[in-house]
């Protein structure tokens, strides 16, 4: 039987363009964990449609002892919405969860065990993440994997080029988050920015080898990662992060060129680039 664990909570932000059936499945995957969180904090980032509100209401009534729902008057973006949610997190650690992904049944059990193991070695442990599988249309249609390094030094090196933590898998130390200034109000790259600030302030990031989340991908996701605005933000942030000690002139130029190539192409080309080159097609656990 699942049991509540007072050591961690879950934070999820939702806005009106999410799909109700995806949200329903995401929340179901949280409620069927081998270890349940002390609370699930949902931030409505602006007014939602009736279907989304209904899904939240059903789940919040079913598990009234763990759900906390906060409503923002308008859509501010995930960074700001996350900051609001943090104010309502009561536990030392909290897990991120996207509203259209599916967490593996033992995700939290594995992460809590990892925290207890690594905190003895790394007192400034700030994040425990993991690996993701990616699916399209239905959960059995796996189209790829995003593997990230596990060891702290490898993670720091990787961060100079790409985001070193799969955000939907992250379990974060709230005290460490507040110490580095909480979430930024960026509407994109706010998670990558947080990992860099942790690293530049001497905190430790860990990834475990397990697949913790089955991530839903589709043309909408690839479309959001395109356009001049996204590219300009990426290049600007890369320069800022270099000043914070993550990256060099060489890595900034290299990663910006690669990102430029992926952003300025049509969506279907970007989709193939992510699925066939940047992400793994097969799972090989080492």
């Amino acid at each position: 039987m699942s049991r509540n664990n007072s050591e961690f909570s879950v934070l999820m932000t939702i806005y009106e363009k999410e799909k109700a059936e995806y949200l329903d499945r995401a929340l179901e995957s949280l409620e069927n964990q081998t270890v349940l969180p002390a609370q699930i904090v949902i931030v409505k980032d602006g007014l939602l449609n009736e279907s989304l509100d209904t899904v939240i209401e059903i789940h919040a009534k079913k598990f009234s002892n763990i759900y906390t729902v906060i409503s923002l008057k308008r859509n501010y973006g995930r960074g700001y919405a996350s900051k609001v949610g943090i104010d309502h997190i009561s536990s030392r650690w909290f897990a991120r969860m996207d509203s259209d992904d599916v967490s593996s049944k033992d995700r939290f059990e594995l992460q809590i065990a990892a925290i207890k193991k690594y905190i003895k070695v790394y007192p400034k442990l700030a994040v425990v993440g993991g690996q993701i599988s990616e699916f399209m249309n239905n959960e059995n249609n796996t189209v790829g994997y995003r593997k990230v390094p596990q060891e702290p030094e490898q993670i720091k090196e990787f961060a100079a080029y790409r985001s070193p933590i799969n955000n939907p898998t992250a379990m974060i130390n709230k005290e460490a988050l507040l110490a580095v200034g909480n979430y930024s109000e960026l509407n994109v790259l706010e998670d990558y920015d947080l990992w860099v600030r942790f690293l530049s302030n001497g905190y430790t990031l860990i990834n475990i080898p397990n697949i913790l989340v089955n991530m839903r991908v589709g043309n909408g996701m690839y479309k959001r990662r395109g356009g001049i605005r996204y590219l300009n933000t990426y290049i600007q942030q890369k320069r800022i992060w270099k000043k914070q000690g993550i990256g060099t002139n060489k890595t900034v130029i290299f990663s910006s060129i690669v990102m430029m190539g992926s952003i300025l192409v049509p969506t279907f080309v970007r989709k193939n680039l992510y699925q066939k080159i940047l992400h793994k097609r097969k799972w090989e656990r080492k």
Side-chain angles (χ1 to χ4, degrees):
M1 176 181 285
S2 299
R3 63 189 188 281
N4 288 74
N5 190 309
S6 61
E7 295 177 283
F8 78 99
S9 302
V10 176
L11 175 61
M12 177 188 290
T13 64
I14 303 172
Y15 80 120
E16 63 177 348
K17 293 185 179 179
E18 311 281 2
K19 291 191 176 182
E21 61 267 33
Y22 296 170
L23 173 62
D24 185 50
R25 181 68 184 100
L27 294 178
E28 181 184 63
S29 76
L30 296 179
E31 296 159 359
N32 290 325
Q33 290 286 309
T34 54
V35 175
L36 290 174
Q39 59 177 167
I40 298 173
V41 176
I42 294 178
V43 181
K44 296 182 182 180
D45 190 11
L47 297 177
L48 306 183
N49 58 57
E50 184 177 352
S51 296
L52 287 169
D53 280 328
T54 298
V55 168
I56 294 171
E57 182 179 353
I58 290 172
H59 284 269
K61 282 185 177 180
K62 185 178 179 182
F63 291 85
S64 59
N65 60 317
I66 61 174
Y67 273 91
T68 299
V69 181
I70 302 106
S71 300
L72 303 182
K73 293 182 179 180
R74 65 177 180 86
N75 177 245
Y76 287 91
R78 192 168 66 170
Y80 180 85
S82 296
K83 288 181 70 173
V84 172
I86 292 300
D87 290 338
H88 297 267
I89 296 291
S90 61
S91 51
R92 183 181 180 189
W93 291 83
F94 69 95
R96 288 308 311 235
M97 180 68 184
D98 285 348
S99 59
D100 55 357
D101 296 336
V102 181
S103 285
S104 62
K105 192 175 182 65
D106 59 352
R107 172 190 171 182
F108 298 147
E109 182 178 353
L110 290 169
Q111 288 184 284
I112 290 297
I115 289 170
K116 291 179 178 179
K117 174 183 176 181
Y118 288 109
I119 198 72
K120 298 174 183 177
V121 183
Y122 304 108
K124 292 191 70 174
L125 181 65
V127 180
V128 172
Q131 316 304 320
I132 60 173
S133 57
E134 299 171 326
F135 72 96
M136 189 173 291
N137 300 324
N138 71 76
E139 292 174 44
N140 295 319
N141 181 30
T142 301
V143 296
Y145 303 88
R146 185 170 192 264
K147 296 186 71 174
V148 284
Q150 299 173 40
E151 300 299 324
E153 288 305 314
Q154 295 173 337
I155 287 172
K156 191 169 185 177
E157 291 173 5
F158 192 84
Y161 295 93
R162 299 174 62 195
S163 178
I165 301 288
N166 288 317
N167 186 57
T169 73
M171 189 171 281
I172 303 170
N173 184 303
K174 179 183 175 181
E175 183 179 338
L177 173 73
L178 296 178
V180 299
N182 210 327
Y183 279 97
S184 72
E185 295 183 18
L186 291 169
N187 286 326
V188 295
L189 303 172
E190 75 284 346
D191 51 342
Y192 195 170
D193 177 68
L194 179 58
W195 316 143
V196 169
R197 283 188 285 125
F198 276 138
L199 291 170
S200 63
N201 282 279
Y203 286 94
T204 300
L205 312 183
I206 290 285
N207 286 309
I208 61 178
N210 310 76
I211 295 175
L212 300 180
V213 170
N214 200 10
M215 180 178 176
R216 191 183 303 272
V217 296
N219 291 335
M221 183 191 78
Y222 299 116
K223 185 176 181 180
R224 289 193 299 272
R225 296 183 179 182
I228 295 296
R229 184 178 179 183
Y230 187 98
L231 177 61
N232 287 340
T233 300
Y234 182 88
I235 294 174
Q236 180 181 8
Q237 287 303 123
K238 277 287 180 176
R239 290 171 176 168
I240 292 172
W241 298 335
K242 182 180 76 71
K243 293 179 180 178
Q244 294 173 343
I246 304 301
T248 63
N249 287 331
K250 180 180 177 181
T251 63
V252 170
I253 292 171
F254 176 81
S255 56
S256 295
I257 289 173
V258 171
M259 186 57 67
M260 187 180 302
S262 69
I263 285 176
L264 299 182
V265 296
T267 300
F268 77 92
V269 176
R270 187 179 311 113
K271 174 182 174 181
N272 286 329
L273 176 64
Y274 272 91
Q275 290 187 356
K276 296 181 179 180
I277 298 176
L278 295 178
H279 294 184
K280 304 290 184 181
R281 296 300 300 275
K282 295 182 179 181
W283 178 252
E284 297 176 357
R285 180 171 174 176
K286 296 182 179 180

